Amino acid sequence: MWRAMLTVSALELRTRLRDGTAIVIALVVPVTLATLFGLALGGDDPPLRATVGFVDLDGGEFPASVRREVTAAEELKGSVTLRDLPSGGEARRALDADEIGAAIIFPAGFTRSVGAGEGGDVTVLTSPRSPLAGVVAGAVVDRISAVVDARTLAVRAALLAGVPGERVKELVERNGAAGPALTLTGDPLAGGKVDLAVYYGSGMAALFAFFVVGASFRSLLTERKLGTLDRMRAGPLAAWVPVAGKAVVGFALAMVSVCATWVSGTLIFGSSWGDPLAVLAVLTAHVLAAAAITMLVAARVKTDAQADGVIMVISFVMAFLGGSLVPLHSLPGVLQAVALLTPNGWTATALAELAGSGASVAAVMGPIGVLLAIALGAGGLAVLGLRKGMLL
Amino acid sequence: MTAALSCGGLGKRYGDLVAVHDVGFSIAPGQAYGLLGPNGAGKTTTISMLVGLLRPDTGTVLVGGVDLAREPLRAKSRIGYVPQEIALYPELTGRENLRFFGRLFGLPRRALATRIAEVLDLIGLADRADTKLGTYSGGMKRRINIGAALLHRPEVLILDEPTVGVDPQSRKAILEGLERLVGDGMALLYTSHYMEEVERVCDRVAIIDHGRIVADGTRRELVSLVGGADTVELVLDGDVEAACAKLRAVEGVAEAVRTGAASVRLMADGGRYLLPSLITAVEGHATVTATQVIEPDLEATFLHLTGTTLRD
C-alpha cells in the first residue's frame, strides 16, 4: 500500500511542479512578500510597553528593594510600569484579562526566610500575549534568585562556623554577600525586542502554509471531477491511499514553504526567530493545523473551484485575525482575544515568544498543544466529511 | 463453475428514494452481460456498488467467489472498471497514464512495461502512446480509458457506457477488442445506450427500470416477451399529442410514445395490418406523412417493458 501511496504522491508532486504552483505559491510569493514587508516595515521594534503586577505579601526589605530598583532603572523608564495588586488570585485575574503582562508574587515571610538562610520562592506569572512583560519579570526574578542564593549560602556558612545568630546578618553583609539590595545588570529589555521583519516573515509563512497545503486537498476534488479518484477507489488499494498520497505532498511543500520564508528572513534581515528547534516545532504544528482545516474545507465543498474560494477566504480571515498580516500587539484588545480562535494566533504568539525571549521549546508547548488539538479536531471532522463525500 | 461476478438482493436508498431494489444477476467467465435501462433507472448506482464505490444497504457482491464487502482489496483486484467519463490525466501521455494506474494497482515495475505494451497493442494505440492525452481524439481517449482497466488482468471487466461520443472507427475497434477479451475468457458487464452494441457484444441482457430488474435473459428470450407485437413508427403533421392519445385507443395498440416533434412510436399486434386503422384514428387531428413497421427486437422489448425508448 505504501508503494501505491508513493505513486499518488509522485504524480501529485510532478503535477504541482509542472503547473508551477509548488514553486510560485510555496516559495516565490511568500519569500518575496515577507521580504518586501520586512524592508518596508521591519527594523523598528514594536512599541515596548508592559505592565508588571506586583504582589507584596511579605512587606519586608526584599520586595521594597525590588520595587526601588525597577522604578529607578533607566532602561525600564517609560516602558515598564509596576501595578500593585493585593493577592496572587487578583494577579491571575488581571493577567487573564490582559490588564497586566506578567506578575511577581512575594509570599509572606520571604525576607525573614532568606535572612535566616532558608531561601525562598518568588512566583512569576507570565502571559504569551505579552512577551516583553514576561522577559522583564523573568530578568528581575533571575536577579532575585542570584541574590537569595548567595545570601542563603553565606548565612548557612556563618551559622556552621559558629557565628551567633544575632551577628550573622551584620557579618554576612559586611563581608560582601549582598543583602536585600537588588541591582539589575544589563538591559532587561534586550530579550523582549522582536523585529517587525520577524512578525511579517512568520505571518507570511503562516498564511501561505494554508494555500500550499490546501492546493493538494483541492486537487482531490479535481480528481473526483476527472473521475480518476473513482478509478483509484475502484482499484485494489486502501481508501486512504489517494488522500494520504496528496496530504504527504501538501504537508512537505508547506514545510518547505514555511522553512524557506524563515531562512530567507534570517539571512536577509539578520533577525533571529528564536531557538531553531522550537521554531521548527511551532511551524510543524501550524502546518498540521492548516492541513487539517483545508482538508475539512475539501470535505465540505462540492467542487475544486468552491474549494479555491473557501480556502482563500479562510486563509485571509485567519491571517488577519491571527496576527499574520498585522502584528498582534497592534490589534485592539478584542481582536487579540479573537486571535486565539485561529491557529495563526497561536503560531504568532508562540513565535513572538521565541523571538522575543529566546526561550526553548518548553516555553511554547501550550501553543503547540493547541495547534495540534486544532489539527486533530479539524482532521477528525474532515475524515468524516471525506467519507460522506466519497473522497475517502 | 464459480461465477466471475454475481450479486444478489442489492439495494440502495437515498432517504425516501429507492435507487436500487433487489437487483441480482450472475456472470460466468467468458460471458458478456448487458445492463440496459433508461437514464435514472439505477444502472450507475448498481455498477458503483459492484465496483465498491458505494456500499449497498442490502445484498452481496461476489467477485470470483470473493465477497466484496469482506475482502474488498482481493475482490477489487479481479475487477477492471471502465467509468463512463474519461478518467485519465490529460497532461500525461497515454503510456504515462497506463504506467500510473499499473503502479497504483500493484504491478511489479519490470512486468509493467511489458504489460503496458500488450495493452497498447490490444487497444491499437502503440504508435500514439507517447503523445499527451490532451491531443487524442475522443475515441483514442476511450481506448486508453479501457486499457487502464485491463492492466492488472482482471477476471471481469465492467464498462459503463464505454462508447459515448466515439467515432465509428473507434467504436468498431473497441467492440472488436471487447469481443476478443470475452473470447479469451474474460467476463463482461456492459451498459450502453446503443442497443445494437449490446445486441452484438452481450450473450445475456438485463433490463433495469426504476431500480429493479424487470427482465433478464438472452436476446431471444427477451424478444419473445413482446410476443407478436411490432414497432410502428409514424410521422405526423398536425396536433401530434392529440393524435397520440387517439392512437393509444386503437384496438391492438399496446403502447404509444411520442419520440419527436412529429413522430410517434407504437407497439401493436400485427402492426402492418393495423395501419389503415391508425391512419383513420388520427384524422381530424393530424395527417400521417410516413410509416415504418419494425419486427420485434430488443429495442421493442425495452419499450414494451419500460414504456420509454432507451435514449429518453
Side-chain angles (χ1 to χ4, degrees), chain A residues 180-259:
Chain A
L182 178 79
T183 307
L184 288 174
T185 55
D187 180 0
L189 290 179
K193 296 177 180 176
V194 180
D195 192 318
L196 276 177
V198 174
Y199 272 113
Y200 288 113
S202 60
M204 288 301 116
L207 168 62
F208 278 86
F210 276 85
F211 293 138
V212 177
V213 75
S216 281
F217 293 114
R218 171 215 192 268
S219 74
L220 206 57
L221 294 161
T222 308
E223 297 249 17
R224 183 168 69 181
K225 189 169 70 180
L226 276 177
T228 44
L229 184 64
D230 272 357
R231 192 190 273 282
M232 287 189 226
R233 293 178 62 235
L237 61 156
W240 54 265
V241 167
V243 178
K246 286 176 179 296
V248 164
V249 173
F251 178 78
L253 287 177
M255 284 307 296
V256 168
S257 175
V258 295
C259 289

Side-chain angles (χ1 to χ4, degrees), chain A:
Chain A
M1 253 343 113
W2 293 107
R3 188 182 166 216
M5 193 193 82
L6 289 176
T7 302
V8 175
S9 296
L11 180 64
E12 171 71 7
L13 182 60
R14 180 180 166 175
T15 306
R16 299 282 297 274
L17 290 173
R18 265 190 179 179
D19 67 15
T21 55
I23 303 295
V24 174
I25 299 178
L27 293 175
V28 177
V29 181
V31 169
T32 305
L33 283 179
T35 305
L36 290 175
F37 271 108
L39 288 172
L41 304 166
D44 277 341
D45 296 325
L48 292 175
R49 288 193 190 87
T51 301
V52 177
F54 197 82
V55 182
D56 182 5
L57 304 175
D58 177 48
E61 287 177 74
F62 250 104
S65 171
V66 169
R67 186 195 303 279
R68 270 197 311 276
E69 188 63 30
V70 170
T71 309
E74 281 300 319
E75 298 88 344
L76 302 181
K77 274 187 180 158
S79 301
V80 175
T81 308
L82 286 186
R83 179 186 292 179
D84 286 311
L85 294 166
S87 66
E90 181 60 21
R92 283 187 185 83
R93 188 206 61 75
L95 194 67
D96 289 342
D98 287 336
E99 292 169 10
I100 58 174
I104 304 170
I105 304 170
F106 287 92
F110 181 78
T111 302
R112 184 199 53 73
S113 171
V114 172
E118 294 165 4
D121 294 322
V122 177
T123 304
V124 180
L125 305 178
T126 61
S127 162
R129 297 184 295 280
S130 182
L132 172 67
V135 167
V136 170
V140 169
V141 170
D142 283 350
R143 187 65 194 139
I144 294 170
S145 298
V147 169
V148 167
D149 286 347
R151 175 74 178 235
T152 302
L153 187 62
V155 168
R156 283 185 182 165
L159 288 171
L160 281 173
V163 176
E166 65 276 12
R167 286 201 57 225
V168 167
K169 183 170 181 286
E170 179 266 331
L171 181 72
V172 165
E173 288 177 0
R174 183 154 49 83
N175 286 282
L182 178 79
T183 307
L184 288 174
T185 55
D187 180 0
L189 290 179
K193 296 177 180 176
V194 180
D195 192 318
L196 276 177
V198 174
Y199 272 113
Y200 288 113
S202 60
M204 288 301 116
L207 168 62
F208 278 86
F210 276 85
F211 293 138
V212 177
V213 75
S216 281
F217 293 114
R218 171 215 192 268
S219 74
L220 206 57
L221 294 161
T222 308
E223 297 249 17
R224 183 168 69 181
K225 189 169 70 180
L226 276 177
T228 44
L229 184 64
D230 272 357
R231 192 190 273 282
M232 287 189 226
R233 293 178 62 235
L237 61 156
W240 54 265
V241 167
V243 178
K246 286 176 179 296
V248 164
V249 173
F251 178 78
L253 287 177
M255 284 307 296
V256 168
S257 175
V258 295
C259 289
T261 312
W262 169 25
V263 170
S264 69
T266 304
L267 293 177
I268 293 169
F269 298 106
S271 49
S272 169
W273 288 26
D275 175 28
L277 188 66
V279 172
L280 188 64
V282 172
L283 292 177
T284 304
H286 176 81
V287 170
L288 283 172
I293 289 169
T294 52
M295 186 162 76
L296 182 57
V297 171
R300 296 288 166 179
V301 300
K302 301 270 186 237
T303 66
D304 48 0
Q306 277 181 323
D308 280 341
V310 176
I311 287 174
M312 183 174 289
V313 168
I314 285 180
S315 303
F316 273 110
V317 168
M318 288 200 178
F320 178 77
L321 294 178
S324 301
L325 298 176
V326 181
L328 283 177
H329 60 74
S330 300
L331 293 174
V334 175
L335 288 183
Q336 287 188 26
V338 172
L340 297 182
L341 298 175
T342 70
N344 302 52
W346 290 99
T347 302
T349 301
L351 291 177
E353 167 85 10
L354 293 173
S357 68
S360 68
V361 71
V364 288
M365 286 311 287
I368 288 175
V370 173
L371 288 168
L372 293 178
I374 291 172
L376 275 177
L381 291 173
V383 168
L384 293 177
L386 289 174
R387 282 194 178 146
K388 195 177 172 191
M390 289 180 63
L391 291 162
L392 186 66

Side-chain angles (χ1 to χ4, degrees), chain B residues 86-119:
Chain B
I86 308 289
L88 299 165
Y89 299 97
E91 71 276 13
L92 301 185
T93 67
R95 192 186 303 278
E96 286 169 342
N97 267 288
L98 295 181
R99 189 180 296 135
F100 172 75
F101 285 107
R103 281 185 188 162
L104 202 63
F105 295 166
L107 269 74
R109 190 177 291 266
R110 197 164 288 176
L112 181 58
T114 311
R115 181 60 185 155
I116 288 172
E118 286 173 8
V119 168

Side-chain angles (χ1 to χ4, degrees), chain B residues 164-297:
Chain B
V164 170
V166 168
D167 58 278
Q169 189 187 351
S170 286
R171 173 174 289 131
K172 183 169 174 285
I174 289 170
L175 294 180
E176 285 173 358
L178 293 177
E179 283 170 337
R180 274 204 302 279
L181 291 170
V182 173
D184 291 343
M186 185 179 283
L188 202 72
L189 176 63
Y190 192 94
T191 74
S192 174
H193 270 93
Y194 300 108
M195 193 72 73
E196 63 278 11
E197 285 181 11
V198 176
E199 290 198 282
R200 173 177 164 177
V201 174
C202 300
D203 322 309
R204 200 171 174 86
V205 177
I207 293 175
I208 185 168
D209 193 28
H210 298 298
R212 298 164 191 261
I213 288 184
V214 292
D216 176 8
T218 62
R219 179 189 179 282
R220 184 184 294 273
E221 288 168 348
L222 290 178
V223 168
S224 71
L225 293 174
V226 191
D230 296 329
T231 301
V232 181
E233 301 274 4
L234 298 179
V235 180
L236 302 169
D237 183 15
D239 185 349
V240 179
E241 204 55 53
C244 197
K246 287 287 180 188
L247 289 168
R248 281 193 195 100
V250 175
E251 190 177 347
V253 173
E255 304 276 348
V257 178
R258 189 169 174 179
T259 53
S263 59
V264 174
R265 181 177 296 163
L266 310 175
M267 295 296 303
D269 289 325
R272 196 172 298 281
Y273 305 103
L274 214 57
L275 279 177
S277 307
L278 299 175
I279 292 167
T280 307
V282 299
E283 275 177 3
H285 299 286
T287 309
V288 177
T289 58
T291 64
Q292 185 184 9
V293 179
I294 306 162
E295 300 295 330
D297 62 2

